[in-house]
Structure formats: structure tokens, C-alpha cells
Amino acid sequence: MNSSFLLATKAKILNATMVLGDADPFQGVGNLAKDWTGRSIAAGLLVLALGAAITLIVFGFGGDQLRNKMKAKLGYIVLAVIGLSAIVGGIPWLYNMGKQWFGA
């Protein structure tokens, strides 16, 4: 049973490669990666803008105690914003550098 299944699978693969010829079998995955890269950048920028807006709203409407606490942790807030920006900018950079490194 297993040998006939393997033989049928090999025949299907051989037939598919003969039909496809010189077609790039990885083109669909490349297109999917491009789509997800664009979507992840848009989602990251949206999250970054939303986080900044919420932080400013809390800072604006918070009392003096909350403002003082936020000022005491301002370094961490700035570090978080820089980290989010680096992640959002790092995705297309890694994608483009990967294309250059691996010749895609």
C-alpha cells in the first residue's frame, strides 16, 4: 500500500514539473510575502500611531500625580516608542536585505 502511494505521489510530482516547465514554483510564496510585508508595515504604523495617541490623551487628561509618574518614566516611554519604530522599520529592511543576500 505504501509503495503504491509513494509511486503515485512521485508520478504526480513528475507530471507537475513537466507541465510547469520553467515556471517558478516559489512565485506564489514570494507574492504572499510581499502582501504580508505591506500589511505588517501598515499594522505596525497603525499601532504606533494609536499608542502615541493614547499616551498623549492619558498625559493630557491625567492629573498632576499621573503626569509626574509619566515624567519619571519618560525614558522608558521613549525607549518603547523607538523600539516599536525599529520593529516597524526593521521588517522591510530585513526583507530587502534578504533579497540582496540570497539573490532573490
Side-chain angles (χ1 to χ4, degrees):
M1 170 98 184
N2 286 339
S3 62
S4 62
F5 175 73
L6 291 175
L7 182 61
T9 304
K10 288 180 184 178
K12 290 276 188 188
I13 291 172
L14 180 62
N15 188 22
T17 55
M18 291 175 69
V19 169
L20 291 175
D22 290 334
D24 185 12
F26 302 107
Q27 185 176 4
V29 176
N31 291 339
L32 184 65
K34 286 179 187 176
D35 290 344
W36 279 104
T37 301
R39 290 179 184 169
S40 63
I41 292 170
L45 289 173
L46 181 67
V47 167
L48 182 64
L50 186 64
I54 290 172
T55 303
L56 290 174
I57 288 170
V58 168
F59 186 77
F61 290 112
D64 289 333
Q65 289 180 344
L66 183 62
R67 286 190 190 124
N68 289 335
K69 287 181 184 178
M70 287 180 77
K71 286 179 185 177
K73 297 184 182 192
L74 186 62
Y76 295 116
I77 294 171
V78 170
L79 184 64
V81 169
I82 290 172
L84 281 172
S85 301
I87 290 171
V88 170
I91 292 170
W93 180 80
L94 283 174
Y95 175 74
N96 290 327
M97 291 305 289
K99 281 176 50 177
Q100 290 178 4
W101 289 337
F102 300 113

